[in-house]
Amino acid sequence: MTARTRSPRDPSRERTVILNQLLLGLVTLFAAGLVAASDASRDLGALAVGVTIVLLTSAFTVVVRWDRLPTWVPAIVPVTDIVGISVLLAAQPTSGVELLWAFPVLWVALNYGLALTISLCAAVTITYLEILSRAGLPFDTRGALLPLTIVALATFGHILSRRSGAQRALLARQSRTLRAAFERARTQEALVSEVLQSVDFGVMRFGPDGQVAVTNPAHTRLYGEPDAPLFRADGVTPLTPQERPLARARRGETFEGLDLWHGGFGTGRRALQVTARRVRSDGDSGILVVSRDVTAERTALRARDDLVASVSHELRTPLTSIIGYLDLALDDELPTSARRSLEVAERNAKRLLTLVGDILSASADPAADLDARMRMATTDIAALVRHAAEAAAPRAAERRISIDTKGVEPTTAHADASRIGQVVDNLLSNAIKYAHQDGNVWIGCANEDGRAIIAVRDDGPGIAPAEQGQLFERFYRADAVRRSSVHGSGLGLAISRDIVRAHGGDIHVHSAVGEGAAFVVTLPAGAPAPALATTPASDSRGPEEER
């Protein structure tokens, strides 16, 4: 006999045994009462014995702790019931109590294996036929119908049991999967909560209805009181209630890198950088606000700008004196070669003074408006390039570098000659610094498609692609350059790009490691129409820097 697998501590097994047996006991008692009341009763003693067997079995099922016994033990109950019903049937073979056999057979089919079910069906059939034979009753259609009914019920019960067993197994697997998923979700939730509690940047998520769904202590610490004053990036202009970042995020707006100041003057102000992005979770769209304290960064940038401004200011006085004495020297009668050298020195001193002025302006305002200080006119770009090559010749000679100017073609542009000369000088100076010793530098210019193009190329080590994106940032110098003996401020390319963009042009770099670097400047060849005048184009990201 093969019992269906069950937990030995399953409380539902005990309830099932008791309920099934009590139901059978009540039906048997009622059927026995009907048989006893009939005149056709032949053997009241046997009737009483059968009822007693069923009732005692019912009482036995109530007092026994079935969940503490092996799974095969409850099978004794339906076997005992079949014996009791057989005794009842023997008392009155024509009473119809044989139908009660359906209860124990169906119970066995639902809860135990196929072997026990077949054995009980066979036993019931043999017993039934034996009782009919002893009572002298003919084996007619009614006699054949009962065994077939019992077998059909047993088959139905077995199939139903298999199906319910498969469903229970499926539900058990799904339950285990759900428990595992719940545990993972709970672990992830605890991890996310722990991370949110420990990070030093504020996080707040608004749901689709604008209500706060998630926040962390850092957010509360950064913002303090809800009505604390907030100011724009200049630290002076207050934000209106509608302009405050949380109010904008609550309305569903998104923004990136919003700079603001938190707190009034003299109250320990904090510089905050706030970003709001749209996120989706379970089909719902919300806004995630991340706030970061950037006070230390802003203070460091201001200290750097103050230092640069101070140093640049100190350079102005000696440069002014140098230019003055050069002017006095040029007023005297001088040999042609000496005058030519002094003119080159004066031109570069004036450009250095202009550079100092640019640094001072950039320190005061990173988005300084260069266009307001430019004098635009039709400019001979070719002459500027030749003058720059001539001025750079002594530095190139020190490293035995040749400057190739064969690519210089007649070129004009609507530009500030002094500013574009500053750009060419800077690009040529960089090319000489980074070219290989005994190497070559090429410089050229041309007009093409309504533009003036200036190109400077060296045969140096080249620039890695990862560094080209930062090349035009203020004060940026590549790692390899910082470790070398090549000196620089990291401002040359930054200021050059600002100047070129203020002219309505642009500057690009083309380079690969080991293949040198080429810088290409494009400028409008003619003056723009008044209605289409280019707005001063100081880049909000700051001037570009030397390599």
Side-chain angles (χ1 to χ4, degrees), residues 14 19 31 60 80 127 168 274 288 360 408 413 419 428 467 488 490:
E14 182 176 4
L19 291 175
F60 181 70
T80 306
T127 302
R168 285 195 300 270
V274 188
L288 183 68
L360 286 171
V408 178
R419 293 293 184 179
L428 197 54
E467 295 178 334

Side-chain angles (χ1 to χ4, degrees), residues 82 85 141 327 355 366 368 412 463 482 544:
I82 290 174
I85 296 170
T141 303
D327 285 339
L355 177 61
T412 59
I463 307 168
R482 286 197 297 268
E544 300 170 325

Side-chain angles (χ1 to χ4, degrees), residues 458-478:
D458 62 62
D459 62 354
I463 307 168
E467 295 178 334
Q468 293 180 21
Q470 300 173 277
L471 195 61
F472 295 97
E473 294 178 2
R474 299 174 65 213
F475 298 101
Y476 175 78
R477 302 188 75 216

Side-chain angles (χ1 to χ4, degrees), residues 190-213:
L191 178 61
V192 170
S193 178
E194 182 179 351
V195 170
L196 288 177
Q197 296 292 326
S198 60
V199 295
D200 58 356
F201 53 84
V203 177
M204 177 174 282
R205 184 183 187 276
F206 292 97
D209 56 355
Q211 298 299 316
V212 176

Side-chain angles (χ1 to χ4, degrees), residues 140-306:
D140 53 9
T141 303
R142 178 178 174 226
L145 185 59
L146 178 69
L148 292 176
T149 302
I150 295 297
V151 171
L153 287 174
T155 304
F156 169 75
H158 180 71
I159 294 174
L160 183 62
S161 175
R162 293 288 299 272
R163 182 173 298 176
S164 62
Q167 291 176 344
R168 285 195 300 270
L170 176 60
L171 289 175
R173 287 196 301 270
Q174 292 176 340
S175 177
R176 289 193 297 271
T177 303
L178 287 175
R179 282 199 299 270
F182 175 75
E183 290 299 327
R184 286 196 302 269
R186 188 165 60 179
T187 302
Q188 291 174 353
E189 182 181 3
L191 178 61
V192 170
S193 178
E194 182 179 351
V195 170
L196 288 177
Q197 296 292 326
S198 60
V199 295
D200 58 356
F201 53 84
V203 177
M204 177 174 282
R205 184 183 187 276
F206 292 97
D209 56 355
Q211 298 299 316
V212 176
V214 176
T215 187
N216 70 335
H219 179 88
T220 305
R221 185 174 64 251
L222 289 177
Y223 284 90
E225 295 296 329
D227 56 350
L230 295 177
F231 299 86
R232 295 181 185 272
D234 59 10
V236 177
T237 308
L239 293 177
T240 65
Q242 294 77 18
E243 293 174 332
R244 296 170 75 94
L246 297 185
R248 294 175 58 186
R250 195 185 299 273
R251 294 194 302 267
E253 296 184 29
T254 59
F255 45 85
E256 192 82 19
L258 176 65
D259 292 320
L260 53 89
W261 285 89
H262 176 278
F265 296 96
T267 59
R269 310 179 81 195
R270 286 191 298 271
L272 300 180
Q273 190 173 78
V274 188
T275 296
R277 294 178 181 171
R278 190 171 302 280
V279 294
R280 294 187 179 276
S281 176
D282 298 331
D284 292 332
S285 176
I287 299 295
L288 183 68
V289 180
V290 178
S291 305
R292 191 166 61 92
D293 188 342
V294 293
T295 306
E297 298 174 23
R298 294 290 179 267
T299 302
L301 289 174
R302 175 53 59 188
R304 184 192 69 182
D305 291 342
D306 290 344

